[in-house]
Amino acid sequence: MSKREILFVEAIREALREEMRRDEAVFLMGEDLRIWGAPLGQTKGIWDEFGDKRVLDTPISEMGFIGAGAGAAALGSRPVVELMFIDFFGIAGEQIFNQAPKLRYMFGGRMKVPMVIRTLIGAGMSAAAHHSSSAYSIIAHMPGWKCVIPSNPYDAKGLLKTAIRDDDPVMYFEHKMLLNTKGEAPEEEYTIPLGEAAIKREGEDATVVALAWMVHKALKAADTLSEEGINIEVIDPRTIVPLDKKTIINSVKKTGRLVVVDEDHERCGLSAELSAIVAEEAFDSLKAPIKRVATPTVPIPFSPVLEDAVIPNEDRIIKAVKEVTSYKASK
Amino acid sequence: MEINKEKLLEMYRGMFVIRHFETKTKELFAGGKIPGFVHLYSGEEGVAVGVCSALRKDDYIGSTHRGHGHCIAKGGDVKYIMAELYGRETGCCRGKGGSMHIADFDVGIMGASGIVGGSIPLITGAALHFKYKETDQVAVAFFGDGATNQGSFHESINLAAIWDLPILYVCENNKYAESTSISSVMRVKTVADRAEAYGVPGITVDGNDVVAVYEAASDAVERARKGKGPTLLECETCRHHGHFEGDSGTYRTKEMVEECKKRCPIKRLGKFLEDEGFATKQEIEDIEKDVEREIAEAIEFADKSPWPKPEDALKDVFVTPYY
């Protein structure tokens, strides 16, 4: 495969273009996709190639057009619908919670809903409480959604192509702090299966599970920790529904310690779920209590100082890893 | 519009199937045979049958919590619908949907929704699919007057209007959103008045006159098939029973319900058929007897059908296995 570096945002555009060329049933629908090319350029240039029919600009009617996406998918289209920011999901809540992911089940498995929703997540831009949420835990909690949360251009492209080809509703989360990061991605055709975690760095002292932007923070923390002789294993699940439990559990069996880094809120969030899975399935391997480094359950604040105070960072990750690696059980 | 004897008798039969199905459903629910919530369609048959008589098999409808009538009128098999109401393995949704979630994609029933207004965006998406695929199929959104105060109605009809989607928005105005009188929650006089806000035609017809509904729907379907966009068709009607089985119904007087029953769309068409010489009393009775036998068979089928296997509760969340 050729060595090539592209931006995360280019990886998204390439995946969309390639899938639209491959399959006539794929079309894009959302707000400001044509002239803007979506708020951060994720669809730039696609309208020029595919025209009005395949790229639908919608009114600001998230419930209407997400429901319409699900309805079109139910009859055989494969729409890729953009929910500009995950924070807007409440506007479309009825269709996201009650319809798209429940239809197949309610109707006895006799139809399918091959729709992808692409949506921006994450803090880091002082975008405040209505444009900075992660909220994938809420979606993963609902029966019927597959959830894809890539951390680099290679995964972003390969997983988006798989999501579009998948026959179930898939929510695809794009972290806004990653869109302008570069990474290797070959020009040749490839896809990545859902439900396969990536071991980003091997280590034996503790397992750190992180997603999206947090993967990069965990890897930086790993560099610092290794200078002090602590080697962590960093795992990026890449998709949380389906979840590659095996890779996480095998890692914890090796290291005996788990730190979950999660940009989503702590209460009832993904960090709680991953902790529970490991406690249930790898309890005997644990040498220390599980630690969570998550965003406290507060709305994401505006001021950079306040935002920095709640979003997990390297210092908090390092502190948590040191706590688990230095833990001594009191008898 | 020319309307022949065959079509009229077909519509009579269609309405009578729904009425008899609902009458039996009421009894079976009271007798504990049907679990859950049940919302009966009796009294509104003229709407479902009038509209669906103007459709082809490959057209699609989106239905509501009060959906048995729509699904039967669109060609759903009463056996599988009754088995679904019973929660049996043989039901059209294998016992996973029940009364409020009947679907049969093979005959164009895209599914009923337990959320008021919930299916409107979905069936609008069906119309989007038809336009995208350049077929000449048409979609129909059924909903009540209450749903016209939901955002889903507004967003969907606006989308359909700007994209000229092939769809009919059919409002069954039975004057009550659950127990709330529509006139107390809507400032305009008719639901059809709302159409002007979206730049689409808005028409009000007597929903208890099945022929009037059929004619109005036929015009709107033709318009949609020709790519001329959506129509809001308001059908004024009334329900014979409560919002759900168990509703005390105290928001309507006995006289109002009696008045509603006098406006029965089935009696009305029956009288028309006899008065105009389209059918004899005997022919009508024969149809009714045949329907009674069909519903009895459906009930027997449901009653004898197996329950779903408990382990099937984890199936059908995804196309891929459960996780």
Side-chain angles (χ1 to χ4, degrees), chain A residues 24 26 53-54 59 61 63-64 67-68 70-72 75 77 94-95 98-99 104-110 144 146 168 242, chain B residues 91-94 96-97 101 103 110-111 113 115 118 121-122 125-126 129 132 134 152 155 159 313 315-316 318-320 323:
Chain A
E24 280 275 322
V26 179
K53 182 174 175 179
R54 309 274 308 269
S61 300
M63 175 166 45
L75 292 190
S77 287
E94 154 59 10
Q95 296 298 318
N98 264 324
Q99 305 295 346
R104 176 176 170 79
Y105 188 86
M106 291 193 303
F107 300 155
R110 292 192 159 113
K146 293 178 177 174
D168 289 312
Chain B
C92 50
C93 302
R94 298 191 171 114
K96 286 198 168 114
H101 304 294
M110 202 167 141
S113 173
I115 306 292
L122 295 165
H129 173 80
Y132 184 74
E134 296 173 15
S152 58
E155 293 190 18
L159 280 181
K315 287 183 188 159
D316 303 325
F318 295 115
V319 173
T320 49
Y323 35 65

Side-chain angles (χ1 to χ4, degrees), chain B residues 204-223:
Chain B
T204 304
V205 295
D206 181 348
N208 288 21
D209 179 350
V210 69
V211 176
V213 174
Y214 170 71
E215 287 176 346
S218 297
D219 291 345
V221 167
E222 193 187 340
R223 190 182 134 79

Side-chain angles (χ1 to χ4, degrees), chain A residues 1-12 14-15 18 148-163 172 178-179 181-193 196-198 200 216 236 238:
Chain A
M1 285 206 183
S2 63
K3 288 245 174 191
R4 181 184 69 136
E5 282 215 325
I6 58 170
L7 292 171
F8 196 111
V9 70
E10 289 170 335
I12 293 167
E14 279 192 6
E18 288 177 18
V148 177
I149 311 172
S151 69
N152 59 75
Y154 180 84
D155 291 352
K157 184 175 173 184
L159 288 167
L160 182 51
K161 286 168 70 84
T162 306
Y172 178 91
L178 298 178
L179 288 180
T181 59
K182 270 197 167 176
E184 260 182 41
E187 277 194 273
E188 293 81 3
E189 165 81 22
Y190 71 96
T191 57
I192 301 170
E196 284 188 11
K200 306 300 287 185
H216 301 265
D236 174 3
R238 303 197 286 191

Side-chain angles (χ1 to χ4, degrees), chain A residues 38 50-51 70 82 99 108 127 142-144 151-152 161 175 193 204-205 210 212 216 231 236 240 289 298 303 307:
Chain A
F50 295 94
E82 179 172 305
Q99 305 295 346
M142 300 174 187
S151 69
N152 59 75
K161 286 168 70 84
H175 198 296
E204 54 288 328
D205 296 326
H216 301 265
N231 293 312
D236 174 3
I240 57 172
V298 297
S303 169
E307 190 182 57

Side-chain angles (χ1 to χ4, degrees), chain B residues 26 40-44 66 173-182 208 237-245 247-261 263:
Chain B
K26 189 176 170 64
L40 299 175
Y41 196 73
S42 306
E44 305 186 7
R66 195 178 310 290
N173 186 354
N174 64 22
K175 315 288 183 186
Y176 287 87
E178 303 184 36
S179 72
T180 301
S181 161
I182 188 65
N208 288 21
T237 185
C238 57
R239 51 175 152 77
H240 288 185
H241 306 295
H243 167 64
F244 60 97
E245 281 305 281
D247 176 4
S248 59
T250 45
Y251 47 90
R252 291 195 293 181
T253 61
K254 268 186 186 157
E255 291 72 29
M256 289 162 85
V257 177
E258 285 314 308
E259 188 56 36
C260 169
K261 288 182 177 171
R263 289 175 52 214

Side-chain angles (χ1 to χ4, degrees), chain A residues 23-27 29 53-54 56-77 91 94-95 98-101 103-113 143-146 166-169 194 241-243, chain B residues 60 84 89-94 96-98 101-103 105 110-134 150-152 154-156 158-159 162-163 312-320 323:
Chain A
D23 185 352
E24 280 275 322
V26 179
F27 67 87
M29 176 159 61
K53 182 174 175 179
R54 309 274 308 269
L56 292 172
D57 262 358
T58 65
I60 301 175
S61 300
E62 285 86 358
M63 175 166 45
F65 69 76
I66 286 179
L75 292 190
S77 287
I91 313 167
E94 154 59 10
Q95 296 298 318
N98 264 324
Q99 305 295 346
L103 292 175
R104 176 176 170 79
Y105 188 86
M106 291 193 303
F107 300 155
R110 292 192 159 113
M111 49 79 74
K112 58 189 184 182
V113 184
W145 282 107
K146 293 178 177 174
D166 196 278
D167 278 338
D168 289 312
L194 306 186
V241 184
L243 177 70
Chain B
Y60 276 78
E84 187 59 34
E89 165 67 28
T90 53
C92 50
C93 302
R94 298 191 171 114
K96 286 198 168 114
H101 304 294
I102 299 195
F105 279 63
M110 202 167 141
S113 173
I115 306 292
V116 170
S119 67
I120 306 177
L122 295 165
I123 192 70
T124 302
L128 174 62
H129 173 80
F130 301 148
K131 178 159 183 175
Y132 184 74
K133 293 279 283 180
E134 296 173 15
Q150 285 279 38
S152 58
H154 160 71
E155 293 190 18
S156 300
N158 186 57
L159 280 181
I162 60 168
W163 290 339
D312 288 348
L314 297 187
K315 287 183 188 159
D316 303 325
V317 179
F318 295 115
V319 173
T320 49
Y323 35 65

